[in-house]
Amino acid sequence: LKLNIGPFLLSRSGSQAMFRFLAFALASHRQILADESWQDTPILTSLWQATSSKDNDAIDRLLDSSESVVLSRSGDGRGLAWWAWEFQNDYVLASIMVNGGDILSEDEDEAGKAAMAMCTDNPDCNKDALVQKAKSLMEDVKRRKEQRAADREKEDFDDDEDEELGDDEF
């Protein structure tokens, strides 16, 4: 069997070698990209701590501090979704969904495992019940997020108003 690719004519063994090379190149490229975007950071450490201890207020503060943190990954390729599944934290799963994340994503960590595998590989974790509970919390999480945003906006407005008064009135 011969394969004609543009100016190249490959035999069957040549096409297999080409396939292996391309597979290796893609895997290497994926790892290079992962290495560039997967890194341990203080905010990820804080997210892990808050998730493992079920500190919902800390989760809210951390998610409010950065829009991209929901999708951020640590050096091993894990992130908030992995930890939410690992610690069976329904509030964090709801927060991920409210902040635009996908708790059922098939994206893999360094070991080749999707986040939800932290639950499905654990006989003590009921994935369907956890998803259902997280979905039931979404409205409350969203309401709390909107209230915090309104409070921050009011604080910013009050700060601006105080600056406008200046020393002229005294």
Side-chain angles (χ1 to χ4, degrees), residues 59-67 69 99 144-145 148-149 152:
I59 290 293
D60 291 341
R61 283 190 306 274
L62 292 162
L63 292 177
D64 288 349
S65 72
S66 171
E67 291 181 16
V69 76
N99 286 281
R144 290 172 56 155
K145 178 180 178 176
R148 290 189 310 276
R152 279 191 307 276

Side-chain angles (χ1 to χ4, degrees), residues 152-164:
R152 279 191 307 276
E153 189 172 311
K154 183 181 181 316
E155 287 175 17
D156 290 346
F157 178 76
D158 290 346
D159 288 345
D160 290 344
E161 197 172 87
D162 290 344
E163 288 175 11
E164 288 177 13

Side-chain angles (χ1 to χ4, degrees), residues 56-105:
N56 297 343
D57 291 333
I59 290 293
D60 291 341
R61 283 190 306 274
L62 292 162
L63 292 177
D64 288 349
S65 72
S66 171
E67 291 181 16
S68 65
V69 76
V70 167
L71 302 175
S72 296
R73 309 272 284 276
S74 64
D76 63 1
R78 293 184 178 179
L80 190 57
W82 277 260
W83 306 320
W85 285 112
E86 177 181 7
F87 297 107
Q88 300 178 40
N89 191 322
D90 48 20
Y91 186 86
V92 174
L93 290 169
S95 296
I96 291 168
M97 290 186 286
V98 166
N99 286 281
D102 179 5
I103 64 170
L104 301 175
S105 172

